[in-house]
Amino acid sequence: MSQNGSRVEQTKKLFRGIRPAVLPSLLLCDFANLQREVERLEEAGVEALHLDVMDGQFVPNLTYGMPIVESLRKITSLKIDVHLMIAKPESYAKAFVDAGADLITFHIEAHRQPVQLLDEIRSLGVAAGLAINPSTPMDWLIGFVPNCDLVLIMSVQAGFGGQAFNPIALQRLKMLREAYGPELLLEVDGGINCQTTPDVTSHGADLLVVGSAIFREADYCQAMTRLRCNFKPFGAQSDA
Ligand code: DX5
Ligand code: ZN
């Protein structure tokens, strides 16, 4: 296996070993004090950072690009998970690899024939995955799952933090877990909090992206403890 191929396997092995992992989404954080925020998140025991890249075209919101990834790469050894909510992921994916991403997901709604881009990202040593909005039919994505290291199931419509959880994500998580087994990393993103954590973990989620349930709390350690105490094993009875 190539050096880049083994780098991808190491990333996947890390997350398989700590599943479910909590990934704070850097959208609602205090960007005026980013280094301090990262230190607080590390102290709280997060396992990776989720960066929400938005271009104002694919989603009606605009956030940040490669410079933030480059800056974070210099100050943390946490894995960096880049969520590309952009219209032309094929034009920017390599730039985010070069900036220091360890995982990259892009939306099937923005790139309908994703195999070549998934392979390109992986060949550069970065785990590659597809993201899908709740309103998009799963048959847009299902044929490409074998080409993915991870699949990001959105439980809100991409674009903003603080939205309500859409339970359609649960049957999607369960279907993928049952169809592809433990190999496939499943990520869920949007409205993840103490109420929804039991449901998403018992339906198979490995990577839990959390924004407001962390950043709206004064104490990140307490927020993480509250989230973690609600994890359930795959298949456990949950309210959903
Ligand atoms: C939405 C982003 C999510 C969002 C999560 O487009 O992809 O990562 O920031 O925020 P909460 O956890 O507040 O829903
Ligand atoms: Zn996200």
Side-chain angles (χ1 to χ4, degrees):
M1 180 182 292
S2 70
Q3 191 182 358
N4 280 340
S6 57
R7 194 178 141 212
V8 171
E9 284 314 308
Q10 278 165 13
T11 299
K12 289 161 70 174
K13 191 161 169 264
L14 169 89
F15 285 109
R16 282 199 207 105
I18 52 179
R19 65 177 57 171
V22 174
L23 286 72
S25 92
L26 300 192
L27 183 63
L28 304 175
C29 65
D30 175 3
F31 282 97
N33 295 286
L34 195 52
Q35 179 149 19
R36 179 73 194 108
E37 290 281 77
V38 172
E39 287 163 359
R40 289 179 65 197
L41 291 166
E42 288 173 336
E43 286 156 18
V46 303
E47 283 98 358
L49 300 174
H50 179 87
L51 274 58
D52 283 319
V53 176
M54 300 181 193
D55 65 357
Q57 284 186 66
F58 178 70
V59 291
N61 198 356
L62 191 57
T63 57
Y64 46 78
M66 294 73 81
I68 290 284
V69 180
E70 285 162 6
S71 302
L72 285 167
R73 189 69 293 162
K74 290 177 193 151
I75 61 169
T76 183
S77 57
L78 288 175
K79 293 293 182 191
I80 293 177
D81 169 38
V82 173
H83 178 191
L84 294 179
M85 289 165 274
I86 64 175
K88 292 191 175 305
E90 68 278 11
S91 304
Y92 295 96
K94 184 171 183 320
F96 279 97
V97 171
D98 295 345
D102 297 291
L103 306 95
I104 292 177
T105 53
F106 58 91
H107 275 258
I108 189 66
E109 298 93 340
H111 198 69
R112 295 295 307 272
Q113 292 305 324
V115 174
Q116 187 182 339
L117 183 54
L118 289 164
D119 291 348
E120 181 196 333
I121 293 167
R122 186 177 305 108
S123 72
L124 296 169
V126 171
L130 288 172
I132 187 167
N133 276 323
S135 55
T136 304
M138 278 298 275
D139 59 17
W140 285 33
L141 170 140
I142 205 72
F144 303 119
V145 173
N147 304 88
C148 294
D149 298 305
L150 69 156
V151 173
L152 170 50
I153 298 294
M154 294 300 294
S155 34
V156 296
Q157 189 72 5
F160 296 91
Q163 302 176 69
F165 178 82
N166 183 330
I168 194 173
L170 298 177
Q171 65 221 28
R172 294 180 164 194
L173 286 165
K174 186 165 182 285
M175 182 271 287
L176 288 173
R177 179 58 73 224
E178 287 175 346
Y180 291 92
E183 274 302 297
L184 176 68
L185 285 177
L186 293 178
E187 185 170 28
V188 65
D189 182 358
I192 305 302
N193 54 40
C194 294
Q195 287 69 46
T196 55
T197 307
D199 295 338
V200 296
T201 49
S202 61
H203 284 72
D206 299 309
L207 311 180
L208 280 57
V209 177
V210 179
S212 40
I214 291 176
F215 292 105
R216 286 190 179 147
E217 298 293 326
D219 183 329
Y220 293 172
C221 289
Q222 268 186 21
M224 285 293 290
T225 303
R226 275 202 295 274
L227 286 163
R228 287 202 167 111
C229 73
N230 287 298
F231 288 173
K232 287 198 172 176
F234 178 60
Q237 280 309 309
S238 73
D239 307 337

